[in-house]
Amino acid sequence: MLLPHPTKNIYLYCTMQTIVVTGGAGYIGSHTIIELLTQTKLTVVSVDNYSNSNASAYERVKKITGKDFQKLEFDLCDKTALNQQLSAIKNIAGIIHFAAFKSVPDSVADPLKYYHNNIASLVNILDFAKNNHVTNFIFSSSCSVYGNANELPVTENTPLQKAESPYGHTKQIGEDLIEFFCKANPEFKAVVLRYFNPVGAHVTGLNGELPISRPNNLAPIITQTAVGKNSLTVFGNDFNTRDGYCVRDYIHVSDIADAHLKAFDLIEQNRNKQQLSLYNLGTGNGVSVLEVIHAFEKMSETKLNYKVGPRREGDVIAVYANNDKAKTELNWLPKYNLDDMMLSAWKWQLTLEKGDY
Ligand code: NAD
Ligand code: WQD
């Protein structure tokens, strides 16, 4: 049961409810735990096997929030471990399921690794939810489910095209799986959040993305390039866009995190219009690669050395969200602009350089 706070726009829960966050040591999971600990009274239990993260993320969360929480280490594909460890947790009010592999090129190179991890973990956590009467579920999906969308901006009703990668396909399968699961279990409520391009770091610069291997995404490549640890090649500048560069919808990771609290509130309070609700999470602004570079240079006061190379195979020319549905139904409004995204990403890179993380 949620009580409105008399003065602040924060959520309070009057019973000791627990929320399970899978993939809580990861980039988006750790930022979501920060918001859960600062904006709600929910008890947080994080699950991770550190396959693409490090337990140091939890120390950073603690440093930022001044709060601690329970951490469990196991592979969600291990059904026995999952049932043993989560069955011991009392009062689970909901599950936020972030855990998955997420690299597009890695998934092309090793599709089975992606189908196995991303689908088996989802099947196991849904099975646990069903057997333990946990009825509130939030799933991390991706704009990659739209493939080469046939309209812009993309709305939740834009038809999904064939996925461009095994990774994108695992998200399409995950969404379908949840839809069928909902039909079979009428008491179950799910929110599927389709993130566009999450970037940036906590506003303090004390938590951000910690690439375990060489990153493929633009923002960490930019910040690493600025400190001489990578070299940015822009994938083409001859597209039919306003400046010739690819266009994406970059969204601050803390805005993404905040949307999960709003999504949980929606289903926990039974305000959901459908059993399964889908939302695009983007700012709604299409931004070109060159505009990202310029914003980074301005906010970091650093000149970025980069070169323009050939197009990357499979790259969509332009994709950005219509976010009206999330704004209206979740009462969610992105707070951060592109400058904030770049400044926080830069602060985080400087934290990494100091080794102070
Ligand atoms: P991340 O890799 O930083 O975090 C995922 C976490 O899940 C990692 O800590 C990893 O160790 C853990 N994990 C993976 N498989 C596991 C398993 N079988 N058992 C236990 N833990 C496991 O990724 P992220 O950027 O935080 O992404 C979170 C979710 O959001 C993923 O589902 C991803 O597909 C989705 N998503 C991410 C982006 C993005 O650009 N970051 C965009 C759209 C959607
Ligand atoms: C952004 C832009 C590149 C690297 C992927 C997934 C998507 C979602 C987000 C998980 C593009 C350009 C990039 C570089 C560049 N993830 N770029 N040089 O491809 O939009 O989306 O991550 O769900 O599903 O597909 O993100 O960060 O790789 O690229 O010029 O070295 O930066 O061409 O225009 P993308 P990205």
Side-chain angles (χ1 to χ4, degrees):
M1 169 70 181
L2 180 145
L3 298 173
H5 187 279
T7 51
K8 292 185 196 157
N9 181 24
I10 62 170
Y11 311 86
L12 296 172
Y13 293 82
C14 68
T15 52
M16 289 298 283
Q17 292 180 318
T18 296
I19 191 141
V20 171
V21 179
T22 75
Y27 175 44
I28 306 173
S30 60
H31 285 88
T32 301
I33 294 177
I34 291 171
E35 298 307 319
L36 285 165
L37 293 176
T38 50
Q39 292 195 53
T40 81
K41 292 265 186 246
L42 288 160
T43 300
V44 173
V45 175
S46 177
V47 176
D48 210 298
N49 65 352
Y50 313 121
S51 51
N52 193 40
S53 57
N54 190 296
S56 64
Y58 296 140
E59 292 307 313
R60 299 193 294 273
V61 171
K62 195 173 165 190
K63 194 168 172 185
I64 290 169
T65 63
K67 293 184 181 164
D68 213 347
F69 53 96
Q70 192 174 349
K71 302 110 192 173
L72 300 174
E73 180 180 352
F74 60 85
D75 185 340
L76 290 146
C77 297
D78 179 345
K79 195 169 176 171
T80 310
L82 188 157
N83 285 324
Q84 268 172 4
Q85 300 228 32
L86 285 188
S87 300
I89 309 294
K90 300 283 169 263
N91 298 326
I92 301 180
I95 297 170
I96 307 181
H97 182 52
F98 290 108
F101 292 150
K102 64 163 179 178
S103 160
V104 170
D106 194 27
S107 79
V108 172
D110 193 349
L112 294 185
K113 176 178 155 190
Y114 275 70
Y115 285 107
H116 177 255
N117 192 56
N118 294 4
I119 308 303
S121 58
L122 177 59
V123 168
N124 287 347
I125 196 82
L126 286 175
D127 189 51
F128 169 82
K130 180 177 157 71
N131 294 333
N132 293 275
H133 313 289
V134 179
T135 55
N136 298 317
F137 190 79
I138 300 170
F139 178 66
S140 298
S141 190
S142 161
C143 66
S144 58
V145 298
Y146 293 111
N148 263 304
N150 59 11
E151 61 180 6
L152 284 176
V154 172
T155 77
E156 290 79 358
N157 293 325
T158 299
L160 306 191
Q161 307 295 326
K162 189 173 163 56
E164 291 287 313
S165 68
Y167 166 74
H169 194 209
T170 67
K171 292 296 176 188
Q172 290 182 340
I173 294 171
E175 289 193 4
D176 287 347
L177 209 158
I178 293 167
E179 189 180 342
F180 282 118
F181 183 80
C182 280
K183 280 189 188 141
N185 298 280
E187 74 289 358
F188 194 76
K189 292 164 284 172
V191 179
V192 166
L193 298 174
R194 292 174 175 162
Y195 318 151
F196 277 65
N197 287 59
V199 295
H202 190 261
V203 69
T204 56
L206 296 177
N207 187 45
E209 188 165 13
L210 187 65
I212 297 283
S213 48
R214 208 174 165 79
N216 304 302
N217 292 117
L218 182 63
I221 295 175
I222 286 179
T223 57
Q224 288 187 351
T225 300
V227 295
K229 291 199 167 149
N230 209 327
S231 55
L232 172 65
T233 300
V234 172
F235 299 136
N237 64 353
D238 57 353
F239 296 96
N240 184 19
T241 58
R242 58 176 173 264
D243 59 10
Y245 291 76
C246 274
V247 168
R248 295 287 184 275
D249 189 337
Y250 299 93
I251 167 94
H252 195 286
V253 65
S254 297
D255 278 327
I256 294 265
D258 183 52
H260 292 75
L261 276 57
K262 303 222 158 43
F264 176 68
D265 190 39
L266 180 90
I267 45 179
E268 202 269 341
Q269 292 294 296
N270 292 313
R271 285 187 285 101
N272 49 307
K273 290 184 182 156
Q274 299 95 19
Q275 194 187 355
L276 168 60
S277 314
L278 288 170
Y279 298 102
N280 283 341
L281 295 184
T283 62
N285 302 319
V287 171
S288 80
V289 173
L290 191 62
E291 288 163 343
V292 176
I293 292 172
H294 286 162
F296 175 78
E297 291 184 325
K298 181 177 78 175
M299 300 314 290
S300 65
E301 299 177 349
T302 307
K303 186 95 190 89
L304 198 67
N305 273 319
Y306 65 90
K307 61 177 188 199
V308 177
R311 295 179 176 199
R312 178 170 69 176
E313 205 188 325
D315 248 346
V316 173
I317 297 171
V319 61
Y320 50 96
N322 175 317
N323 61 7
D324 290 349
K325 192 171 176 228
K327 285 203 247 178
T328 314
E329 294 184 16
L330 292 180
N331 198 18
W332 171 77
L333 200 60
K335 280 199 299 235
Y336 299 103
N337 62 26
L338 185 62
D339 287 350
D340 302 323
M341 298 178 212
M342 291 300 112
L343 180 61
S344 59
W346 179 233
K347 280 187 182 174
W348 168 239
Q349 185 67 51
L350 296 179
T351 300
L352 289 174
E353 292 316 296
K354 279 192 269 166
D356 186 18
Y357 60 93

